[in-house]
Amino acid sequence: MIFKKQAPKILVTGILLCLFSFNLFSQEKSYLNISEVLDEVTITELLNKRVLRNFSVNEKEKKLIYAPNLEGVNAGRNKWSEIHDYEPNYVLENIYYFDLKEENGFSKQNPSKEQEFIKLNKLVRSVSKMTGLKYFSHTRHKMDVLYDRCYTIDNPKNKNRIADVMDTSVNPIYVLFDDNSFGEYVGELTYGQNENEIYLTEINENPLGLPGLKAIKTRDLCAFVDMIPCKDAILVYILIEAKVAVPSGFKNMILESFTTRSDAILNWIKSIY
């Protein structure tokens, strides 16, 4: 008799738990809507131009106006202050709208969010595929190769080439870049992920600059890249911060350098997506 009285309650409780679990799972796996992370004015401008930029020099306090309201982005924007007791004097933020339907129709296959994240994780760790990456050189006024060589290494000291690390539990990894302007340098790449975004931060492990001029000291160039899958599109937010020891007359050169590198990163993502 006790079983018969309790059974309906147990059954109802079980059904409610199943429905709640299903609903929670659906919410966790659903794509973000762009309106959840950007304001209406920014969305309208971004959909029209496909890229928005904000460049500042020698500001006492950096003002980021296009940063999506997300956990990973908030972590990325605070990265500089975590490792420095001084502010960057050059800051460039970019936000791109990468329309999957316009690029290759991949979204027509209706991939799950889980599949999308697996794809993006593999993409951002395939650093060797950046070898031969093209960019527009403002100094040469033509398209040129940004990285003659680019591959994962064991550590900054030995610099032995290893296979691209696909294990997402390995953090950080080190990458050797043979840059067209900066020459050979090592970058420390640290990855992060949550249910809405995949992101990475690159910090230089040795000084950078033009021949005879080390304009950027070790760990004084911080590049943050965040990829945010949305329905039929991906938002890509790139923030570059640096302490650059050059006269103010080099402002346009720094802007062009940071801009072309940001665009090259986006083109790399699009080319192997």
Side-chain angles (χ1 to χ4, degrees):
M1 293 296 293
I2 294 176
F3 175 77
K4 288 183 178 179
K5 289 181 180 179
Q6 291 180 341
K9 294 181 179 180
I10 295 173
L11 181 61
V12 171
T13 302
I15 292 173
L16 289 173
L17 284 173
C18 289
L19 289 174
F20 175 76
S21 299
F22 177 77
N23 184 53
L24 181 61
F25 179 82
S26 299
Q27 289 177 352
E28 289 177 345
K29 297 298 181 180
S30 61
Y31 283 98
L32 274 178
N33 189 306
I34 188 173
S35 62
E36 297 179 65
V37 296
L38 294 174
D39 63 81
E40 187 176 343
V41 174
T42 300
I43 292 172
T44 300
E45 190 175 7
L46 182 59
L47 292 178
N48 181 43
K49 298 180 179 179
R50 300 306 167 104
V51 57
L52 302 175
R53 308 188 202 275
N54 174 37
F55 183 60
S56 60
V57 180
N58 294 323
E59 294 287 344
K60 292 183 178 179
E61 183 179 348
K62 64 183 178 185
K63 299 176 182 178
L64 306 181
I65 61 176
Y66 296 128
N69 184 24
L70 287 167
E71 177 186 346
V73 174
N74 290 333
R77 67 191 297 174
N78 292 325
K79 188 66 175 180
W80 180 276
S81 60
E82 290 177 5
I83 60 177
H84 300 91
D85 58 3
Y86 50 88
E87 291 297 315
N89 58 349
Y90 286 88
V91 178
L92 173 67
E93 64 169 340
N94 314 261
I95 186 163
Y96 302 86
Y97 182 81
F98 174 19
D99 193 318
L100 296 175
K101 291 186 295 184
E102 288 187 1
E103 294 300 324
N104 53 20
F106 179 76
S107 60
K108 294 179 181 178
Q109 300 176 25
N110 297 316
S112 68
K113 192 173 182 181
E114 182 181 6
Q115 290 174 319
E116 197 85 345
F117 269 62
I118 291 173
K119 185 182 183 73
L120 289 174
N121 262 314
K122 182 178 180 180
L123 185 155
V124 295
R125 288 176 172 269
S126 301
V127 294
S128 62
K129 293 187 177 181
M130 295 180 75
T131 297
L133 181 66
K134 296 291 186 69
Y135 80 119
F136 183 79
S137 171
H138 287 274
T139 57
R140 301 176 182 86
H141 305 290
K142 65 174 184 177
M143 293 299 294
D144 210 338
V145 174
L146 179 57
Y147 301 125
D148 288 321
R149 292 178 298 148
C150 182
Y151 51 80
T152 308
I153 57 175
D154 54 355
N155 58 66
K157 182 178 180 179
N158 296 330
K159 301 180 184 178
N160 294 318
R161 180 170 184 168
I162 62 174
D164 289 335
V165 179
M166 294 300 159
D167 184 350
T168 56
S169 67
V170 178
N171 228 0
I173 67 171
Y174 295 95
V175 177
L176 184 141
F177 296 94
D178 187 0
D179 189 283
N180 198 335
S181 299
F182 293 143
E184 183 181 300
Y185 74 94
V186 173
E188 177 194 78
L189 272 61
T190 305
Y191 295 87
Q193 176 181 334
N194 56 47
E195 64 179 17
N196 292 315
E197 49 191 329
I198 294 175
Y199 50 92
L200 66 92
T201 302
E202 179 201 333
I203 300 175
N204 63 309
E205 286 294 302
N206 50 266
L208 303 175
L210 301 174
L213 177 64
K214 298 301 181 184
I216 304 176
K217 295 180 180 179
T218 298
R219 300 186 74 79
D220 269 4
L221 176 64
C222 184
F224 173 74
V225 182
D226 196 317
M227 294 181 294
I228 308 150
C230 300
K231 187 63 176 176
D232 294 328
I234 296 177
L235 293 180
V236 180
Y237 179 77
I238 300 177
L239 173 65
I240 300 179
E241 302 174 273
K243 182 71 172 179
V244 188
V246 293
S248 58
F250 285 81
K251 174 182 176 179
N252 288 338
M253 184 188 75
I254 300 297
L255 171 60
E256 291 170 353
S257 177
F258 287 1
T259 298
T260 54
R261 278 165 171 73
S262 297
D263 290 348
I265 291 172
L266 178 76
N267 291 333
W268 167 61
I269 294 172
K270 292 168 68 174
S271 68
I272 66 175
Y273 191 79

